[in-house]
Amino acid sequence: MPCYSIEGVVPVIDPSAYVHPTAVLIGDVIIGENCYVGPNACLRGDFGRIVLKAGANVQDTCVMHGFPDHDTVVEENGHIGHGAVLHSCIVRRGALVGMNAVVMDEAEVGEQSIVAACAFVPAGMRIPPRTLVAGIPAKVKRELSEAEIAWKTQGTQTYQDLTLRCIATMQLVEPLLFVEPDRPQVRSPHVKSLTATKRT
């Protein structure tokens, strides 16, 4: 993967983590155990420190960056959806930031809370634990149900499992020219969308 030092500061990746080869890590970046960093994610520790704690995932095309003297942190089991941007903020343990959401400077996403897809969390906002926030700017909508928190936890566990699957089996290959007979499928995780979960 493209991994760069700056001013002698080198990124750190725990051996149990998986960082996709197209992700870019620069400078003061610390990736903890069992983390997943997806394709084309950019973690720039060229001003402030970037930290992923154990079991966190940062998915495709996410950006993490921050101001000098401010850490940008995703705590244990934090879950950052595709295309999200985190800047000088903290995502507390077990929280989810949805796809294409933006979390700004000195904001704090509370434990086990959910930031809805495409939400804009303004600078300095403190999101209470176990709540749903949505909108531009983001506003607290309600407390999360136990079922919603369980759904989020299951999704995070799916990415922790994906870390193991990627370490064990992902390889750079040439594509096939034709679909082979009896084509296998990837091992399908047992996780559903939140809307599908609510229908059952």
Side-chain angles (χ1 to χ4, degrees), residues 114 142 147-148 151-152 192-199:
I114 294 177
R142 58 178 173 79
E148 288 168 326
W151 169 82
K152 184 270 161 199
K192 299 177 182 177
S193 71
L194 186 56
T195 52
T197 301
K198 288 179 176 179
R199 284 196 298 266

Side-chain angles (χ1 to χ4, degrees), residues 120-176:
F120 179 81
V121 177
M125 183 176 187
R126 296 288 185 266
I127 297 171
R130 300 171 65 94
T131 57
L132 171 67
V133 300
I136 303 173
K139 294 188 183 341
V140 174
K141 298 299 183 182
R142 58 178 173 79
E143 290 187 9
L144 292 169
S145 69
E146 291 298 330
E148 288 168 326
I149 291 171
W151 169 82
K152 184 270 161 199
T153 300
Q154 184 182 27
T156 302
Q157 290 167 348
T158 298
Y159 269 89
Q160 292 164 350
D161 179 60
L162 180 60
T163 297
L164 300 175
R165 292 168 59 206
C166 289
I167 289 170
T169 69
M170 189 171 290
Q171 299 178 38
L172 182 64
V173 297
E174 292 294 322
L176 301 174

Side-chain angles (χ1 to χ4, degrees), residues 3 18 30 39 44 47 52 67 81 85 100 110 127 129-130 143 148 150 161 164 179 197:
C3 194
Y18 177 80
I30 301 170
R44 280 181 49 207
F47 291 163
L52 299 186
F67 284 115
V85 176
N100 289 312
I127 297 171
R130 300 171 65 94
E143 290 187 9
E148 288 168 326
D161 179 60
L164 300 175
V179 177
T197 301

